[in-house]
Amino acid sequence: MQATTPVPRTADLFHQGLERQTGSALLRFGAARHRPTGRISWSGDGAVAWLDQPRGHVWSVGTPAATAGLILRAAHQLPDDVREFTAPRGTDTLVGRHLAVTDVVEWVFRWTLEEPPVHQAEERVVGLGEASHGELLSFLEQHSPAHSTGPGSSDVSLWAGIRDTDGRLVACGALSSLRDSGAPLMASVATDADQRGQGLGAALTSWLTRYAVRRHGFCTLWQLADNTPAERLYTRLGYRNEDPCVAARVSACPVGI
């Protein structure tokens, strides 16, 4: 059943100045200032939210209490369209008081405006074209089955990798983009399980970051909150750690029904 409640279309997600506040980088980098045609969004005191309709995903920035209110409003107005959300840490608990929330994952949205220190192994990084897509897919399936994006994705502008002396791929990564804004997003960085601890991932990550900063002025990435090695690496490379987020699936059915 389609919702009959009129859905507001906010003219400007940035009118509260939230993007300038600590913890709001996802709004600063993730939501295009030029409003895409038909984008549905909501605003409240201390929060904004916008809907990625193809995915049924609500993105929200602000205080947990305010973002929870916007997500609940979105789910009420568009019960057939809102299936998941990303919001500040703690929002899931508040939404879960009213709706069924599942598959909760804690993330950190990280970003940098600066080139990192040069890693000595960066000289081994090479670009990988379409001819390498089959090799990349096999490598990711073996060494990073949960990779976020794969070869052939329309969001990816560049694949890069490192090969050993026999020409075998031992590390790879992509420069993708955030869907709404097109901001550069580093993704699917993986290292051969037998080659870890040699700095290959650090070299590739440093190279991709430098590439993005030189061409776009910044780079962003998503980090799982409990990934301690990645936490140390990204901090060393200069990525800011101010945006703890939570992602979850949501059902429009009230809790207990």
Side-chain angles (χ1 to χ4, degrees):
M1 181 179 69
Q2 294 294 323
T4 57
T5 306
V7 178
R9 282 176 162 77
T10 305
D12 182 8
L13 288 170
F14 298 86
H15 74 285
Q16 297 188 56
L18 287 175
E19 79 281 6
R20 295 190 293 272
Q21 298 180 17
T22 299
S24 296
L26 187 57
L27 174 61
R28 177 182 177 187
F29 296 117
R33 281 188 174 274
H34 176 68
R35 180 166 64 96
T37 302
R39 179 174 67 190
I40 299 173
S41 57
W42 298 264
S43 64
D45 185 15
V48 294
W50 61 102
L51 176 65
D52 178 349
Q53 281 188 288
R55 291 179 56 194
H57 194 111
V58 175
W59 301 89
S60 190
V61 167
T63 65
T67 56
L70 295 185
I71 292 166
L72 290 170
R73 188 194 307 177
H76 170 73
Q77 293 176 337
L78 299 171
D80 297 326
D81 294 335
V82 175
R83 298 184 294 275
E84 55 191 35
F85 66 86
T86 295
R89 198 83 50 82
T91 301
D92 55 312
T93 300
L94 299 175
V95 172
R97 294 175 182 173
H98 305 276
L99 301 176
V101 173
T102 60
D103 301 327
V104 177
V105 180
E106 294 188 342
W107 296 87
V108 183
F109 181 72
R110 305 190 67 160
W111 55 277
T112 183
L113 306 177
E114 306 293 336
E115 291 187 31
V118 176
H119 191 284
Q120 61 180 3
E122 278 188 59
E123 61 184 19
R124 297 179 59 188
V125 179
V126 296
L128 300 173
E130 188 174 347
S132 299
H133 280 187
E135 181 185 18
L136 279 165
L137 182 58
S138 296
F139 182 84
L140 288 167
E141 288 177 345
Q142 180 178 357
H143 299 289
S144 183
H147 56 275
S148 58
T149 192
S153 170
S154 60
D155 294 331
V156 173
S157 59
L158 173 72
W159 281 97
I162 297 176
R163 298 185 181 279
D164 63 13
T165 54
D166 296 325
R168 186 174 62 93
L169 192 65
V170 291
C172 73
L175 193 63
S176 185
S177 61
L178 294 169
R179 184 190 297 267
D180 196 7
S181 66
L185 176 75
M186 185 162 49
S188 294
V189 175
T191 304
D192 186 310
D194 295 330
Q195 302 276 346
R196 289 172 187 166
Q198 300 182 30
L200 300 179
L204 190 62
T205 303
S206 180
W207 190 94
L208 285 168
T209 301
R210 191 179 322 284
Y211 183 98
V213 170
R214 287 182 177 180
R215 285 158 180 77
H216 304 280
F218 64 99
C219 190
T220 69
L221 58 85
W222 286 101
Q223 175 210 314
L224 280 169
D226 60 357
N227 190 335
T228 302
E231 162 74 23
R232 289 196 294 263
L233 171 60
Y234 297 144
T235 297
R236 191 164 67 245
L237 294 180
Y239 279 88
R240 304 283 285 272
N241 184 359
E242 302 169 353
D243 300 82
C245 299
V246 63
R249 295 188 63 82
V250 62
S251 169
C253 295
V255 171
I257 293 181

